[in-house]
Amino acid sequence: MSEINEGFALLSEQLMLVAGMAYAVAVCAYVWDLVTFSSAVKKGLATAPGTAQQGGSPENGAVLAGVGARSAAGQDLGVGPQDRGVRPSSKTHEGSDGVTAGDSMRYGKEKRVVARVAVALTVVAAVVQGIAVVLRGLAAGRVPWGNMYEFCTTGSFAVAVVFLLVLTRRDLRFLGTFVIGLVLVMIVAAHVSFWTPVGHLVPALQSYWLIIHVSIAVLSSAFFTITFAMSVLQLFQARREASIALGKPDKAPVMRLVPNALSLENLSYRINGIAFVGWTLTLMFGSIWAEKAWGRFWGWDTKEVWTFVIWVVYAGYLHARATKGWTGTRAAWLSIVGYLCVVFNFTIVNVYFSGLHSYAGVGG
Amino acid sequence: MKETVVEDPKGTEPRAGAKGRKAGGDIAVPQLGLVGMLRWAWRQLTSMRTALLLLLLLAVAAVPGSLFPQRSSAPSEVTQYLKDNPASGPVMDWFKLFDVYSSPWFAAIYLLLFTSLIGCVLPRAKIHWKAMRSAPPRTPKRLSRLAEYGTVTIPAGSGIDAATAVKDAAAILKSRRYRVDLRDLDTDRPSVGAEIGFMKEVGNLLFHTAMIGVLAAIAFSGLFGYSGQRVLVEGETFVNTLTSYDTFTPGANFSDDRLVPYSAQLDRLVVKYDRSTEAHYGQPLDFNATLTVKDGPGAEAETKTLKVNEPVSIGGTNMYLVGNGYAPVVTVKDGDGNIAFQGPVITIPTDGAYTSLMVIKVPDAQPNQLGFVGFFLPTALIDDKGVAFGSDPDPFNPQLNLNAYTGDLGLDNGVPRNVYTLDTSAMKEINSRNVDAGGIVLAPGQSYTLPGNNGTISFDGIKRFAALDIRHDPGQGMVLVFALLALAGLMASLFLNRRRVWIRTGNHPDGRTMVEFGLLARGEDHRLAGEYDALNKALHAKWLVPMEADGQNGEQTSTTDSALGVTAASKDQ
Ligand code: HEM
């Protein structure tokens, strides 16, 4: 067992704080991006052809209503034979239609300078945090996920990296406020509530299954974090689309940055599918490890119960997407509930529930 | 009117069987009679919505088991809970809230779910079996209505007529692993229908079937497995027979002769603590038990290392190190001067410093039975009130702190007694801080003479003990196999795509050969556009048509489209 390197540990904690600050600035930039965009939209509306003539608002409403009606028609496709729900697999609309962003979620031609700054800051923060995580691992001479502090810091790093990776393929910068906001919350929580000095692992955790089981759990949770943010936005966007379709004024023009509810749903379904496979692996690897450590692969320990509950909720989510009347909003709620269970499992269960998994390392 | 579109372009064609359509959920229940009622109930049970609700119900039902102590894992906590909540406790007990996972209502939920599952999987399997063996559906009249649509125009004079083109197209699809079916070859509008991705549905069926397998394998384990606990002090030997276990939980179909009579002696247990960091000083780092095992009586002895996370497997069982502690060796001589008790006493560690509860019962002591209750402290320090407390898990300054009692231990009246608690109600306190004689404090090698001519107690030395779980679980290999199958099925189901392609060709009067093709996804398929691109490229390459010549995905195809439309129309009317 290697020596603990206190110097590395200290440096790691300092860098973690630096990363936290960089994330904080990045979140400000993401928010600023949303605000500037939304005020630009308001100005743009003022010069829109509809309002050029006096009393243009009803006409404007009619135009929007037309658009809304089309996407409403899209939603109706959630009805299949028997009681199967079927989601359209084809595109809804490629580019922006003035109400929502295009479903391609590719980077458009217009430059969002502030958003670029935000992403750049996120990259910097993630690099610094990555170094901090590696240093923590080096300090302890093992993988840096052995207690709550480390789950939180490494987990938030995973969320940031997954987010940046998804950004290379899809323009999800509108999610930055929420996702990087959550990363920030995790770092603050790690520092304030879960801080634990670096140390060796207790024998129960000394197993290569720690590396496999926890890393995949953290990674799946990172994916669930992103779909959670998307599902929340989907709910807002669905309400907004419905109200615009009724001819009401657009109360949240900032949501024009966000793709329509259906494309949010489709993309989060794909990501949730990947995350669900990850969670299935988490469950399986966890059982194999439990068999090695405690002599039974399943014993309804509190942590096992909640891992199971999460798995079943997301299985329900996948089913909901194929069930008449459960696609769209209800599926989004299931995705949100699933994520709340993930958070509950990680915080409340780790800290307050007793069980075989009580190695959170909090409070002694 | 003739049918215009064979396939709904959005892929909403029946999947779960045409029968289901008639019995759609919204229709009011007509007078059905018993058979009809049963059929209706069955259909409700096997519907997607019921499956979803049962899944969600299962998730909710699992939660109380994490909120309240469970008999299966923490029986003493349940007893305590019942004691603390005399009013609500028994009611909760009646609702099986302390046995959630073996309760009838939990079982009802998952059994219903799995019934629904079987009812769902069988018809789907049948439908899919048929689909896999039948030709791809007939070519839709208007391919341009499909989700992805494109055209290729082979210039006049290339020598490729409609029939050749369609065969070329079929070959391309085949090389892309589609199942293809050429049709209408003898007409002027030949076409090819193709389908790929049958493994998606196979994966789905495999996943759901494997879930049944997992459940069955777990049930099998419950029938034929067994588990037991044994606390073993250094130097002691465990023999795998029923009487050697401290506690034993047999499966429903267990019989004695399933126990292989191997033996395992605990030679020593070495525990290492963290001494290198201040923050985690005294945290355990390693528990290492050395065993001498024999496969049976008279078999060759073998040395094995048992650690946390590293079970020893022997005689069809696995042996796990699940706990450890100190067993001080004590000798008690009674008032008559005879040895009434001698040996290691297993203690119960209560904290990280191994402050260990200890009870000694000496029923053989004459003339009075003796009982001792107290603590073993591996490293004793004295606080300012003069009370000893444990400060380190290693035995740097070991100490016994005991109170002594004489009288009736209550062991003879047949009431089962916990060996780790002493009922002092019928006994007289002879040593404690409350009486003049004071408590007994012993360091190793020391001896103490009990007041009132009740004999002596001596602390001879320290041993460690290991708490072992011994398990035989014949089903867990099967559980793993089914879980892996489920995983494979899940991935196939989620990540494969099922899609259909149709390609139709025709000879234009001006000598060009017109080719149109359409793609249709069944279910979610975000890669359909990518498949379109690939196919488009392959077709162009095959006939050496430059890519720019044609519009992308129906955007500028109006010329070729209408050109084909003419021929199509002339044929249809
Ligand atoms: C033990 C309970 C069940 C679990 C854990 C479960 C889990 C899942 C999961 C994870 C999926 C998504 C992956 C895939 O597409 O294969 C799925 C899909 C599906 N399940 Fe289940 N399921 C269960 C029971 C049922 C039952 C009872 C039914 C039938 C009523 C059913 C019908 C389906 C169908 C039709 C799909 C395909 C959905 C689609 O086409 O996207 N499942 N199930």
Side-chain angles (χ1 to χ4, degrees):
Chain A
M1 205 160 283
S2 61
E3 282 292 295
I4 297 288
N5 188 326
E6 308 273 359
F8 277 7
L10 190 66
L11 188 59
S12 163
E13 273 160 36
Q14 285 162 345
L15 285 180
M16 196 61 74
L17 282 187
V18 172
M21 281 184 265
Y23 282 128
V25 181
V27 169
C28 294
Y30 283 117
V31 174
W32 187 14
D33 172 49
L34 293 184
V35 172
T36 49
F37 179 84
S38 121
S39 57
V41 166
K42 278 198 189 114
K43 273 191 225 121
L45 266 189
T47 56
T51 41
Q53 335 146 2
Q54 287 301 330
S57 49
E59 193 174 319
N60 202 7
V63 171
L64 291 174
V67 173
R70 201 200 55 196
S71 52
Q75 300 281 16
D76 271 353
L77 290 167
V79 180
Q82 205 181 14
D83 52 357
R84 302 287 308 284
V86 177
R87 301 309 262 170
S89 56
S90 56
K91 311 175 194 69
T92 51
H93 61 118
E94 190 77 70
S96 168
D97 61 3
V99 176
T100 57
D103 73 352
S104 69
M105 300 185 213
R106 311 246 183 241
Y107 292 86
K109 282 181 203 73
E110 91 282 15
K111 281 191 192 141
R112 279 156 59 193
V113 179
V114 185
R116 286 190 174 188
V117 171
V119 173
L121 274 168
T122 310
V123 172
V124 171
V127 169
V128 173
Q129 193 186 12
I131 298 173
V133 167
V134 170
L135 278 176
R136 177 90 180 183
L138 289 176
R142 57 174 171 79
V143 288
W145 48 80
N147 53 51
M148 287 288 281
Y149 174 81
E150 291 166 3
F151 296 149
C152 249
T153 49
T154 307
S156 56
F157 175 63
V159 174
V161 168
V162 167
F163 179 61
L164 287 173
L165 283 180
V166 177
L167 276 190
T168 62
R169 315 198 61 188
R170 289 283 187 278
D171 185 2
L172 296 185
R173 286 177 295 180
F174 56 87
L175 275 181
T177 312
F178 311 96
V179 173
I180 301 303
L182 282 171
V183 168
L184 192 58
V185 168
M186 285 167 84
I187 293 184
V188 171
H191 215 81
V192 175
S193 314
F194 301 140
W195 183 79
T196 319
V198 67
H200 293 301
L201 292 175
V202 294
L205 289 183
Q206 291 168 16
S207 166
Y208 54 88
W209 288 106
L210 172 76
I211 305 171
I212 304 170
H213 166 72
V214 179
S215 63
I216 194 124
V218 164
L219 211 61
S220 320
S221 307
F223 279 108
F224 284 140
T225 306
I226 288 175
T227 54
F228 164 70
M230 293 175 72
S231 296
V232 171
L233 281 185
Q234 180 197 329
L235 290 180
F236 280 117
Q237 191 72 297
R239 285 189 66 169
R240 178 172 164 266
E241 282 172 19
S243 96
I244 290 175
L246 289 175
K248 297 205 185 111
D250 184 0
K251 278 198 224 95
V254 68
M255 293 293 281
R256 289 179 184 212
L257 264 184
V258 179
N260 61 25
L262 184 56
S263 13
L264 279 174
E265 183 190 340
N266 283 338
L267 185 59
S268 52
Y269 173 71
R270 277 167 58 197
I271 300 180
N272 267 339
I274 298 169
F276 183 76
V277 172
W279 198 257
T280 309
L281 286 170
T282 304
L283 195 87
M284 286 172 57
F285 291 150
S287 319
I288 297 174
W289 187 9
E291 197 277 325
K292 284 262 175 293
W294 303 319
R296 83 288 181 292
F297 62 89
W298 197 262
W300 296 108
D301 180 60
T302 40
K303 199 81 185 170
E304 290 171 340
V305 170
W306 280 94
T307 304
F308 174 77
V309 167
I310 292 164
W311 189 77
V312 173
V313 169
Y314 279 103
Y317 165 85
L318 294 179
H319 271 209
R321 285 268 309 172
T323 307
K324 191 176 95 181
W326 278 81
T327 55
T329 302
R330 284 190 188 173
W333 274 113
L334 282 181
S335 162
I336 291 170
V337 168
Y339 187 70
L340 293 182
C341 289
V342 171
V343 172
F344 185 84
N345 187 23
F346 177 69
T347 55
I348 311 288
V349 173
N350 274 8
V351 179
Y352 296 109
F353 285 33
S354 66
L356 291 168
H357 282 78
S358 305
Y359 41 65
V362 180
Chain B
M1 202 190 92
K2 292 180 207 165
E3 68 216 289
T4 43
V5 183
V6 177
E7 296 278 352
D8 186 315
K10 296 298 182 192
T12 50
E13 76 270 42
R15 251 197 181 187
K19 264 185 285 165
R21 182 163 250 171
K22 281 182 232 136
D26 301 331
I27 297 172
V29 193
Q31 284 89 32
L32 291 165
L34 183 64
V35 178
M37 282 288 279
L38 285 177
R39 190 173 289 159
W40 177 84
W42 177 248
R43 223 172 261 144
Q44 291 302 308
L45 179 64
T46 55
S47 75
M48 261 322 253
R49 184 173 315 163
T50 311
L52 175 56
L53 290 178
L54 285 172
L55 266 176
L56 297 181
L57 202 59
L58 184 68
V60 174
V63 171
S66 74
L67 303 179
F68 307 115
Q70 297 295 297
R71 283 213 174 81
S72 56
S73 53
S76 58
E77 280 177 48
V78 176
T79 316
Q80 191 60 40
Y81 192 97
L82 285 170
K83 216 181 269 172
D84 296 344
N85 302 277
S88 60
V91 180
M92 292 167 63
D93 204 11
W94 191 83
F95 283 106
K96 298 277 179 199
L97 286 175
F98 306 115
D99 306 276
V100 167
Y101 307 106
S102 54
S103 69
W105 50 268
F106 193 75
I109 294 172
Y110 71 73
L111 289 179
L112 272 179
L113 182 58
F114 276 86
T115 313
S116 168
L117 183 65
I118 293 167
C120 206
V121 162
L122 287 181
R124 275 177 69 118
K126 201 169 135 203
I127 289 163
H128 192 60
W129 178 251
K130 278 196 193 133
M132 279 170 71
R133 332 189 93 225
S134 54
R138 45 179 292 209
T139 314
K141 292 243 160 69
R142 300 206 189 287
L143 290 180
S144 56
R145 291 209 188 175
L146 297 181
E148 298 286 346
Y149 171 76
T151 57
V152 188
T153 309
I154 306 173
S158 63
I160 300 165
D161 65 359
T164 319
V166 84
K167 280 179 195 148
D168 287 348
I172 288 175
L173 286 172
K174 209 165 209 163
S175 73
R176 297 181 69 79
R177 299 205 316 278
Y178 280 83
R179 225 186 48 204
V180 301
D181 179 48
L182 280 165
R183 63 246 340 218
D184 304 330
L185 273 181
D186 48 352
T187 69
D188 53 351
R189 300 299 309 281
S191 68
V192 54
E195 189 158 8
I196 197 172
F198 289 96
M199 290 315 281
K200 184 185 181 74
E201 180 75 358
V202 172
N204 185 301
L205 294 170
L206 177 64
F207 169 79
H208 285 90
T209 313
M211 292 308 298
I212 304 173
V214 169
L215 193 73
I218 291 176
F220 179 81
S221 290
L223 286 182
F224 294 98
Y226 61 81
S227 68
Q229 282 78 35
R230 171 64 195 264
V231 171
L232 210 54
V233 178
E234 283 172 315
E236 283 184 349
T237 302
F238 164 77
V239 180
N240 189 29
T241 55
L242 266 187
T243 48
S244 301
Y245 285 94
D246 296 336
T247 57
F248 190 79
T249 320
N253 270 21
F254 172 82
S255 66
D256 287 16
D257 54 327
R258 293 181 157 269
L259 296 179
V260 179
Y262 64 83
S263 69
Q265 175 182 335
L266 177 64
D267 297 332
R268 61 186 177 278
L269 176 67
V270 180
V271 185
K272 260 202 347 239
Y273 298 97
D274 191 349
R275 302 295 173 196
S276 64
T277 64
E278 216 170 296
H280 299 278
Y281 190 81
Q283 173 196 300
L285 290 184
D286 190 32
F287 302 114
N288 192 322
T290 309
L291 301 176
T292 302
V293 299
K294 290 185 191 161
D295 280 342
E300 194 104 350
E302 209 183 330
T303 303
K304 296 214 172 178
T305 304
L306 172 65
K307 294 170 74 152
V308 179
N309 276 316
E310 290 173 29
V312 163
S313 97
I314 173 169
T317 68
N318 275 343
M319 192 180 279
Y320 303 85
L321 181 59
V322 294
N324 71 93
Y326 287 101
V329 183
V330 172
T331 305
V332 178
K333 287 188 182 160
D334 63 14
D336 298 347
N338 300 321
I339 294 180
F341 174 88
Q342 186 165 40
V345 181
I346 287 156
T347 64
I348 303 172
T350 59
D351 61 14
Y354 279 72
T355 303
S356 305
L357 284 174
M358 160 162 194
V359 168
I360 311 171
K361 298 180 187 180
V362 193
D364 298 339
Q366 297 294 337
N368 298 315
Q369 293 188 328
L370 290 170
F372 302 86
V373 182
F375 287 103
F376 168 75
L377 305 173
T379 301
L381 291 181
I382 311 289
D383 70 8
D384 28 338
K385 288 194 202 100
V387 179
F389 68 98
S391 74
D392 195 281
D394 260 331
F396 293 132
N397 180 28
Q399 199 176 76
L400 284 184
N401 285 263
L402 295 173
N403 295 344
Y405 300 84
T406 66
D408 183 11
L409 286 168
L411 297 177
D412 305 326
N413 53 11
V415 180
R417 299 280 170 195
N418 186 335
V419 283
Y420 299 114
T421 57
L422 183 68
D423 179 6
T424 56
S425 55
M427 301 189 83
K428 177 170 163 257
E429 202 171 47
I430 53 170
N431 278 106
S432 89
R433 285 164 63 87
N434 306 328
V435 296
D436 292 343
I440 304 169
V441 179
L442 289 175
Q446 289 183 340
S447 200
Y448 178 85
T449 306
L450 299 166
N453 209 9
N454 274 307
T456 61
I457 177 167
S458 57
F459 180 12
D460 306 331
I462 302 167
K463 290 187 171 181
R464 288 185 194 264
F465 71 83
L468 305 178
D469 263 18
I470 295 134
R471 288 182 184 255
H472 170 67
D473 191 344
Q476 72 186 16
M478 281 194 291
V479 175
L480 182 64
V481 168
F482 281 119
L484 288 173
L485 284 175
L487 181 71
L490 178 70
M491 288 170 65
S493 167
L494 284 174
F495 302 141
L496 292 182
N497 294 302
R498 182 153 172 209
R499 44 176 87 116
R500 291 173 179 166
V501 176
W502 291 277
I503 302 179
R504 178 152 43 212
T505 59
N507 294 317
H508 198 271
D510 67 8
R512 290 180 298 167
T513 305
M514 317 303 280
V515 180
E516 58 172 348
F517 62 100
L519 284 78
L520 174 69
R522 300 196 64 186
E524 206 98 22
D525 186 357
H526 64 277
R527 289 195 212 91
L528 194 65
E531 180 68 6
Y532 165 84
D533 289 337
L535 205 55
N536 194 27
K537 217 163 132 193
L539 291 175
H540 280 84
K542 177 81 189 169
W543 298 310
L544 303 171
V545 181
M547 284 285 279
E548 314 81 68
D550 282 290
Q552 252 270 308
N553 209 10
E555 276 165 22
Q556 322 156 6
T557 48
S558 47
T559 47
T560 44
D561 208 9
S562 57
L564 272 169
V566 173
T567 40
S570 55
K571 185 194 167 234
D572 278 354
Q573 263 88 63

